[in-house]
Structures are given as C-alpha cells and as structure tokens.
Amino acid sequence: MAGTADDPIAELLTTYNELNGSTIEELHQEPSPLEFMRYVAKNTPFVVRRAAKGWQASRTWSAAYLKEALADETVNVAVTPMGLKSSNADSPTRMEGSGELVFAKPWEEDQPFPEFLDFVIAQENEVAASTPSEIRYAQTQNDNFRHEYVSLFAHVQPDIPFARIALDRDPEAINLWIGNSRSVTALHKDNYENIYVQVLGRKHFVLMPPLCQPCVNEQPLKPATYVRRGGNDDAGLELKLDSVGEGEGEGEGGGDGNVPFATWDPDTSGPNETAYSKLAEPMRVTLDPGDMLYLPAMWYHKVSQSCLDDDICVAVNYWYDMDFSGPLYPMCNFVRSTYMSQS
Amino acid sequence: MAGTADDPIAELLTTYNELNGSTIEELHQEPSPLEFMRYVAKNTPFVVRRAAKGWQASRTWSAAYLKEALADETVNVAVTPMGLKSSNADSPTRMEGSGELVFAKPWEEDQPFPEFLDFVIAQENEVAASTPSEIRYAQTQNDNFRHEYVSLFAHVQPDIPFARIALDRDPEAINLWIGNSRSVTALHKDNYENIYVQVLGRKHFVLMPPLCQPCVNEQPLKPATYVRRGGNDDAGLELKLDSVGEGEGEGEGGGDGNVPFATWDPDTSGPNETAYSKLAEPMRVTLDPGDMLYLPAMWYHKVSQSCLDDDICVAVNYWYDMDFSGPLYPMCNFVRSTYMSQS
C-alpha cells in the first residue's frame, strides 16, 4: 500500500516532507536558549557555521599538537577489519561463512595514544595500504572527554551554554572522536539531544527524522564482537557472535539479546530498501572545522568524514538527556509499532 | 485488539500515560518565555494561579460594570434551545424526527448588550425558568475583543508577553466569552496555542492530548444551523441541515461538507465510547477568576462553567498560530489515519 492515499505511513512521510524542508537551517551565530528551544520544540536540526572557531581546540589542535599533548596517555580504540574499506564498528555486518547479518561491535583495546595516532595518519596517507591492516577509531561514547582525555578538556567549552540553559540540565556525556576518513558510523539514532562540534577534518552527516523509522528497515540483529585471532595483533580480526545474555539489550529487542538496528543505507539506496525508503528525504550537511550541529533527539544519522591537511578527523559532541514527556517519544514508538504490525 | 500488547494504538496511549501525569502543572507566577517554550516543546498544559489578578478587568469588571460600559453596544450572540439544559452550540446533536447526529451550529444574531446580559443573568437566577427559553452565549471567536468589545480592550493585556516572545508572533485572535452556567463548549480541538484567562465565574476544563483521537469517536457530521421559527423571537429554534456546499469544510471532512467531530463525552463515558476511550486519562482543571491556562495546540478540550456572585462567566483567550513544522502535526494526523483505517 506504500505511496497510496490509504496508507497512513506513506501519508505521514509525505505530510512531514511537505511541511518541513530537507535542507538544514544554517545559522551564523549561536542561538539564544529560547531560539534553541524553538528548534528542540520542532525536533529540527540546524548548523551554526564557525561557532567554535574561537575555541582553544580550534585554534591550537593539530595532529602534532595532540601527539605531544597525549604522549604518555593510553586510550581506548575501536578496531575493525580493513577489508570493508570503512569502519563497521556498531554496524550491520554479514558473518563470514553463514552470511548472516549481525550487529558487529568493534574489538576494543587500549593503545598508547602516539601509536594510535601514527597508525591513523599513516593509513590516511595510504602508507599502510600494503600491509594487512585494520581501522582504528577512538570513539568511546562513555563521556571519554572528561575521563580519558581530561587533560585536553580545558580546550573546549565545558558545556554548550544555550543548550544547558534551554534544557535546564548539564551534559550527560561529552565525547571526543578521533579517526580518519575510514571511520564511518552507520545509520542509527540516540535518545539524546546532541550538539556536535567539528575540530579537525570534515564530517558528513546524513540525517532523517525519527518518523522515518519505516524507511530504515530496522531488523533485530544478533550482536557479535570482533576479536583478535589468537589474541595476536597481526593475525587479523574475527567476528564472533556474543553469547546469549551478553548482548547489550537496548530494550526494544524483545529480550532475546538481539539489537534492533537500521539496515538501510541512504547512500546506497537499493539494498535493504523498504516500501517506504523512497519517501525519505534525507538531509545532508557537512561540518567544516569550527562548525556546530544540533542533532535532535531520536534523529537517524549516518556519519562519515574526510580529512584535511592534518590527516585526522577530530570532533567533540555533547549529549543532553532528552525529555521523554510529551508526545514525541510515544508517537515515535507508535510509528514503529504500526510499521512492525503491518510488515 | 484494544488494550493488548499487539495493538499499537493501545500501546501509544498507555506509553503516553506512563510518561505523563494526568494532573495539570500549577505555577504561581507567569513563566519566562524560555520556561513557556519548554511546555510548548512537550505540548503540555499548565495553569498559572492568580496570574491576571492585577489586570484592570479582574479588578473592575462585574455584571453591572459591563452593562454600563457596553450600554450602547450591539453584540453577536449565539443562541441555542433551552431544552438541552446546556448550550449545544458547535456540538453533536440529534435532529428532531430523524434522530440523525449532526453538527449543530447556533443561531447567531446581534442583540443590544444590556438586553443580552439581563437575559443571561436572569437565566442564571432561574427567573426565566418558567418561560420557554433559550441559551445565549457571546462566544464569537473572530477576534471579537479587538472589534465588538474594543472599548474594553485596554482592561486586559494586549497580548501575553511570555507567549509572544517565545512563539515570536503576535496573537492571531483575542476573544471575549460571556455566558452563564448553561454555556458549555463540546469536546473539540483547535490548531492554535491558546492562553485562556478567567475574569468572572469559574471555568471547568476537561483536557486530553491530541493522541487521544482514537478515544473521542470522531464522526463526520452533517452541519446544521439553528434558525428562529418563522423568524419569530418567541417561536423557538429549529435545527436545519445546511445546504451542501454551505458547510465550513474544515479540510478533514473529505470535501462532502461534513464536519469531523468528536462524539464521545468524557463526562458521560458510556455513550459513544470507542474501544480506546477507557485508555484516555483526561486532565481536569478549574480556573478561578484571575487564573491563566496554557492549552497547547491540538489538545481536546471540553469547557463548562459555573457562576459566582455576578451570575455571569467572563473569560478572555489569546490564540497564537501553532507551528506546523516538526513532527507533531503529521504525527497527530497519522494517529487519526491509523485509527480510521482499522475501524
């Protein structure tokens, strides 16, 4: 029934598209808390160009600077195999052999920061292309900036004032992301209001509102985790299914440990399309260094990046707890349940 | 399927109820624009007790004062028959004879204000109970306060500053409502952000969020209008079906001139219940003189009133255009379409 007048889901998507542009709003200075709250109220993203240009991080960071500043630090690194061209950490991935689509979590290990950074830079320059290799991405989303990287934390704002004042809460987590152009984050959504600040390199977002759930072909995927073969650094990575009960259990997976996850990629639209995918109008935005993005709660986002002179991509994001009261959260669940009940 | 775990509509209602109280939030001073915007963002009502106590209208108006101030004015009055105990202006009503449920619009006529007011007061005191009579309610919602009643407009605020600043727009309409305890407004919703201020008497609201559409038993009703029999003031009122094409056509009626309208009354829950009505948790609030209510866009509201010493009920409301962008409006349509497609 997709696309017909009698199909409530198709009508939902087309009505939304008619009333909302698919071009992101660009601001040239930070909004006031009230102006920000208007965007929160309509659950609509915006980008503030050059908002963080004056931050110490924007003015002083470079690959060399970070290597020096974190010379003695050990950091958590997400490792995935090279064969896939880009990182598939936290992505739908086919198991070797069975071909089963699973939710692949990266191998995580601590590495001396300088070694990690050299690897990332060498890979970006394709120096490492001749060796069987892997993709490394510092992407722990556990408030890492106020823990692992706390020595650099004074170089960014401790919060985003317009967001803290508007939402009347401090950030729940502040995360630093360091990788190269191989670091891709698959389409997913978070239950947070998110402020994303680019420091080095460029970040490319593909964004879709939460009501696009029927477009993304969410599937319950078995969780699997990469491990180093034989515990050996040079033997490559092997994807192993998690034991039942080990899965993170995001609460929507029906208690079987499966992870409900989007399997449609808006950049390669054919595979894994649903009957509704063609009705999605993804919003695309590229952040240059110093740009700031408001990514509203529950928006689907796919993130890729490209490097500039520094051969690394560095960004910071601020997660603020979303407000679960009001109609948005139940309505988004309703769209999902309605789609699931008819498919 | 209502009420089962596999029923998305039942799940929507119960999830909403779990995440939101059914008791209205009470403030004791007006919110700032930012605080107000937080309520707009979560589409959630609040009441500010005594907010308008200092307004000149609150301090000086009484039945006698209004009669004097508007001694020479003629005002538009909505007239409906007495037999129904309370006004059924803009209400689902059974036609005499056929018994068909139609959307009854009041007879509207201009009356000298003092004559109108005397009638309303006498009826409240039951002086008029012995004569075949009618219910009169000054309730034109066409920005009447800045037109018919403009001579009194300086006695209230020209707008609600926190709402004007937050929503970044002037009020679209400001309406004055004058009636007695017979004046009831049937359950309905408006596409406006609404600030309601009580001046004389008390107003009793029953409120339900827009996602309660599956609870209200919306039916496409033929529009009908009361007319005075033979054009004679004393011959009573007769309900006549509008000619096709004459209907106001609210855009949701399918172009046949029918008015889609809630037929469930949350105060007499049995009749016209749907399978979902029992899952509604109506929020009830009474406004005393000086109280101010924020009634969010698209909330269902039924309004009744009771008089205090003055034997009249007077209120003012400020309508601000709602923002149709963002997910709320399309999502509310989606709930409606999903319900309609399964029933």
Side-chain angles (χ1 to χ4, degrees):
Chain A
M1 290 208 301
T4 77
D6 296 333
D7 179 347
I9 292 177
E11 183 194 15
L12 169 67
L13 293 163
T14 54
T15 303
Y16 182 87
N17 292 341
E18 279 163 21
L19 293 171
N20 296 273
S22 61
T23 306
I24 196 164
E25 287 191 59
E26 294 205 24
L27 311 182
H28 294 279
Q29 53 189 7
E30 286 186 33
S32 71
L34 173 57
E35 288 167 332
F36 175 61
M37 204 61 208
R38 292 193 193 120
Y39 286 93
V40 175
K42 59 185 178 178
N43 191 243
T44 295
F46 61 81
V47 61
V48 192
R49 296 298 181 193
R50 303 174 60 82
K53 270 290 178 191
W55 292 17
Q56 186 173 346
S58 301
R59 288 185 286 107
T60 62
W61 288 6
S62 63
Y65 181 94
L66 292 176
K67 198 170 160 185
E68 169 88 22
L70 299 168
D72 302 322
E73 302 293 331
T74 294
V75 298
N76 184 284
V77 177
V79 186
T80 50
M82 180 64 183
L84 298 160
K85 299 254 175 19
S86 61
S87 166
N88 65 329
D90 302 325
S91 295
T93 302
R94 296 224 172 264
M95 291 286 281
E96 270 181 67
S98 75
E100 184 183 9
L101 199 63
V102 301
F103 180 71
K105 294 182 286 183
W107 171 250
E108 290 187 48
E109 66 188 16
D110 288 337
Q111 298 182 355
F113 183 80
E115 181 189 310
F116 158 70
L117 205 68
D118 284 343
F119 185 99
V120 166
I121 293 170
Q123 184 174 62
E124 186 63 26
N125 287 312
E126 299 195 3
V127 174
S130 57
T131 56
S133 189
E134 59 197 30
I135 294 162
R136 298 184 184 178
Y137 192 12
Q139 57 136 29
T140 42
Q141 292 143 63
N142 56 359
D143 201 25
N144 69 11
F145 210 161
R146 293 187 288 196
H147 295 92
E148 276 181 289
Y149 298 99
V150 69
S151 61
L152 291 175
F153 187 58
H155 297 192
V156 299
Q157 286 185 181
D159 62 31
I160 305 295
F162 67 76
R164 168 178 44 80
I165 296 166
L167 303 172
D168 197 22
R169 61 195 66 180
D170 291 320
E172 179 65 19
I174 305 174
N175 302 308
L176 184 65
W177 308 69
I178 304 176
N180 60 23
S181 60
R182 306 286 187 173
S183 312
V184 171
T185 304
L187 190 71
H188 72 289
K189 63 187 168 63
D190 304 301
N191 287 338
Y192 291 101
E193 306 289 359
N194 197 344
I195 304 286
Y196 218 103
V197 176
Q198 191 66 19
V199 181
L200 294 173
R202 309 176 82 204
K203 211 132 204 160
H204 313 285
F205 283 86
V206 184
L207 306 174
M208 289 187 288
L211 50 72
C212 279
Q213 195 279 343
C215 309
V216 307
N217 202 358
E218 181 187 300
Q219 297 289 339
L221 302 181
K222 286 184 192 159
T225 305
Y226 283 105
V227 292
R228 290 206 183 275
R229 282 197 176 88
N232 183 331
D233 269 21
D234 299 321
L237 293 148
E238 183 179 13
L239 191 55
K240 289 201 165 174
L241 283 176
D242 292 357
S243 317
V244 174
E246 192 183 341
E248 292 179 17
E250 298 193 5
E252 294 173 338
D256 53 6
N258 286 352
V259 179
F261 207 83
T263 64
W264 181 58
D265 181 344
D267 287 327
T268 56
S269 42
N272 290 322
E273 266 188 7
T274 73
Y276 299 104
S277 300
K278 284 193 167 49
L279 295 177
E281 295 188 354
M283 184 182 274
R284 291 167 201 275
V285 58
T286 290
L287 300 191
D288 286 311
D291 289 350
M292 176 187 284
L293 172 70
Y294 167 52
L295 177 60
M298 291 191 284
W299 270 62
Y300 290 97
H301 50 293
K302 176 186 174 182
V303 193
S304 56
Q305 33 199 4
S306 50
C307 295
L308 297 168
D309 294 345
D310 272 298
D311 299 322
I312 58 171
C313 299
V314 179
V316 187
N317 86 292
Y318 298 74
W319 263 340
Y320 291 85
D321 283 338
M322 68 171 282
D323 191 344
F324 287 90
S325 69
L328 183 65
Y329 183 80
M331 293 274 216
C332 291
N333 275 357
F334 176 62
V335 173
R336 179 176 186 270
S337 299
T338 303
Y339 173 71
M340 309 280 266
S341 72
Q342 77 177 45
S343 59
Chain B
M1 289 210 303
T4 76
D6 295 333
D7 179 347
I9 292 176
E11 183 194 16
L12 169 68
L13 293 163
T14 54
T15 303
Y16 182 88
N17 292 342
E18 280 164 21
L19 294 170
N20 296 273
S22 61
T23 306
I24 195 163
E25 288 192 59
E26 293 205 23
L27 312 182
H28 294 280
Q29 53 188 7
E30 288 187 32
S32 72
L34 173 58
E35 288 166 332
F36 175 61
M37 204 61 209
R38 292 191 193 121
Y39 287 93
V40 175
K42 59 185 178 178
N43 192 243
T44 295
F46 61 81
V47 62
V48 193
R49 296 298 181 194
R50 303 174 59 83
K53 270 289 180 193
W55 293 16
Q56 186 172 346
S58 300
R59 289 185 286 109
T60 62
W61 289 6
S62 64
Y65 181 94
L66 292 176
K67 199 170 159 184
E68 169 87 22
L70 298 168
D72 302 322
E73 302 293 331
T74 294
V75 299
N76 184 285
V77 177
V79 187
T80 51
M82 180 64 183
L84 298 161
K85 299 256 176 14
S86 61
S87 166
N88 65 329
D90 302 325
S91 295
T93 302
R94 297 224 172 262
M95 291 287 281
E96 271 180 67
S98 73
E100 183 183 9
L101 199 64
V102 301
F103 180 71
K105 294 182 286 183
W107 171 248
E108 291 186 49
E109 67 188 15
D110 289 336
Q111 297 182 353
F113 183 80
E115 180 189 309
F116 158 70
L117 204 69
D118 283 344
F119 184 98
V120 166
I121 293 169
Q123 183 174 63
E124 186 65 24
N125 286 312
E126 298 195 5
V127 175
S130 57
T131 58
S133 192
E134 60 198 28
I135 294 163
R136 299 184 185 178
Y137 193 11
Q139 58 137 28
T140 41
Q141 292 143 63
N142 55 0
D143 200 25
N144 69 11
F145 210 160
R146 293 188 287 194
H147 295 92
E148 275 181 290
Y149 298 99
V150 69
S151 60
L152 290 175
F153 187 58
H155 296 192
V156 299
Q157 286 185 181
D159 62 33
I160 305 296
F162 67 75
R164 168 179 44 83
I165 296 166
L167 303 172
D168 196 21
R169 61 196 65 181
D170 291 319
E172 178 65 19
I174 305 174
N175 301 309
L176 184 65
W177 308 70
I178 304 177
N180 60 23
S181 61
R182 305 287 187 171
S183 311
V184 171
T185 303
L187 190 70
H188 72 289
K189 62 185 168 65
D190 304 300
N191 288 337
Y192 291 100
E193 305 290 359
N194 197 345
I195 305 287
Y196 218 102
V197 176
Q198 192 67 17
V199 180
L200 294 173
R202 309 176 83 202
K203 210 132 207 160
H204 313 286
F205 283 86
V206 184
L207 305 175
M208 289 187 288
L211 48 72
C212 280
Q213 195 279 343
C215 309
V216 305
N217 202 0
E218 181 188 300
Q219 296 290 338
L221 303 181
K222 285 184 193 162
T225 306
Y226 283 106
V227 292
R228 290 205 182 276
R229 282 199 177 87
N232 183 330
D233 269 20
D234 298 322
L237 292 148
E238 181 180 12
L239 190 55
K240 289 202 164 173
L241 283 177
D242 292 357
S243 317
V244 173
E246 194 182 338
E248 292 180 17
E250 298 193 5
E252 294 174 338
D256 55 5
N258 285 353
V259 179
F261 207 84
T263 64
W264 181 57
D265 181 345
D267 288 327
T268 56
S269 43
N272 290 323
E273 266 188 7
T274 73
Y276 299 104
S277 300
K278 283 192 168 49
L279 296 176
E281 294 187 355
M283 184 181 274
R284 291 167 201 277
V285 58
T286 290
L287 301 191
D288 286 311
D291 289 350
M292 177 186 282
L293 172 70
Y294 167 51
L295 176 60
M298 292 190 285
W299 271 62
Y300 290 96
H301 50 293
K302 177 188 172 181
V303 193
S304 56
Q305 31 199 5
S306 49
C307 295
L308 297 167
D309 293 345
D310 273 300
D311 299 321
I312 57 171
C313 299
V314 179
V316 187
N317 87 291
Y318 298 74
W319 263 340
Y320 291 84
D321 283 338
M322 68 172 280
D323 191 344
F324 287 90
S325 68
L328 183 64
Y329 182 81
M331 292 276 216
C332 291
N333 275 356
F334 175 63
V335 173
R336 179 178 187 269
S337 299
T338 303
Y339 173 71
M340 308 281 266
S341 71
Q342 79 179 43
S343 59

